[in-house]
Amino acid sequence: NAGVTQTPKFQVLKTGQSMTLQCAQDMNHNSMYWYRQDPGMGLRLIYYSASEGTTDKGEVPNGYNVSRLNKREFSLRLESAAPSQTSVYFCASSEAQYNEQFFGPGTRLTVL
Amino acid sequence: QKEVEQNSGPLSVPEGAIASLNCTYSDRGSQSFFWYRQYSGKSPELIMSIYSNGDKEDGRFTAQLNKASQYVSLLIRDSQPSDSATYLCAARPPGGFKTIFGAGTRLFVKA
């Protein structure tokens, strides 16, 4: 099993450009999450999907949109990138809401 | 604001010693607690989960939970240089999906 996979691993954008971060899990988990991690601030939840067909805002949703494409895939879109969105983005999944979360390898995004 | 607080460190211990990592949480109703290890440039990796008061042991790792004091700790016995990493504490408040992560404690194990 690959677990949680993310693409791309690295990305550099110019201010105003858009992009989609892809995430997939092969553990048959119901719930999926997108976090960003900034130095000294820990992991902050951007959006989550409790189950296929549902998505909800987390702590820092502004400037992002998500799509739960099917049970396996959960994508994060930046419509108009800003330098404040420079961060490391992690996707995670869990079997159910109270279970442990398993993280993907991350995407390192720089917005110039 | 629900919070999970950790000392940022670095915590430095000699090889073979016990490393003690501590965490406090603000939401008294939290029921699920997790410890993750994160190597530099890598993603968080789950080490332990704990749901009830007391100790839970897994190999060289022991998680301790005291809900009355709103305190969670992780002990690493026989610390090895390969344990050098940042350790993230996380708490799941009741209801919802929002696991709250601490900013992490950096551990350095000296050979």
Side-chain angles (χ1 to χ4, degrees), chain A:
Chain A
N1 288 350
V4 181
T5 58
Q6 292 182 236
T7 56
K9 286 186 169 54
F10 300 93
Q11 184 70 49
V12 179
L13 294 176
K14 294 181 180 178
T15 297
Q17 288 185 316
S18 62
M19 77 162 296
T20 299
L21 282 64
Q22 306 287 353
C23 174
Q25 52 91 9
D26 63 1
M27 296 177 282
N28 201 34
H29 284 172
N30 290 303
S31 304
M32 298 185 73
Y33 314 81
W34 276 105
Y35 291 91
R36 60 178 289 174
Q37 186 175 40
D38 302 293
M41 299 192 71
L43 288 159
R44 292 184 292 169
L45 183 64
I46 304 171
Y47 270 93
Y48 63 93
S49 171
S51 60
E52 185 179 357
T54 69
T55 60
D56 280 291
K57 295 178 180 179
E59 182 184 356
V60 288
N62 291 347
Y64 305 95
N65 284 299
V66 291
S67 296
R68 183 75 182 266
L69 304 170
N70 47 55
K71 191 172 185 179
R72 290 187 63 249
E73 299 173 286
F74 188 37
S75 63
L76 177 72
R77 182 161 178 84
L78 286 70
E79 291 291 352
S80 180
S84 61
Q85 294 178 305
T86 293
S87 188
V88 180
Y89 292 85
F90 290 106
C91 177
S93 70
S94 65
E95 185 175 350
Q97 67 179 93
Y98 294 113
N99 296 115
E100 303 90 340
Q101 295 179 20
F102 296 89
F103 285 82
T107 294
R108 282 146 187 82
L109 174 66
T110 301
V111 182
L112 302 176

Side-chain angles (χ1 to χ4, degrees), chain B residues 14-92:
Chain B
E15 184 176 358
I18 296 175
S20 178
L21 304 162
N22 305 313
C23 166
T24 59
Y25 59 95
S26 63
D27 191 323
R28 183 172 289 278
S30 296
Q31 297 293 325
S32 308
F33 304 89
F34 311 95
W35 281 101
Y36 289 83
R37 177 176 62 199
Q38 187 173 25
Y39 292 113
S40 181
K42 302 296 185 183
S43 59
E45 172 192 10
L46 180 71
I47 299 175
M48 299 275 287
S49 57
I50 187 166
Y51 302 97
S52 54
N53 276 332
D55 296 358
K56 180 180 179 182
E57 187 175 319
D58 184 358
R60 295 186 296 113
F61 299 97
T62 299
Q64 299 174 318
L65 174 60
N66 183 326
K67 290 185 178 179
S69 300
Q70 296 177 238
Y71 179 90
V72 190
S73 64
L74 180 70
L75 302 178
I76 307 175
R77 289 181 299 280
D78 189 24
S79 295
Q80 300 297 309
S82 59
D83 294 326
S84 297
T86 297
Y87 290 80
L88 307 177
C89 174
R92 175 71 65 83

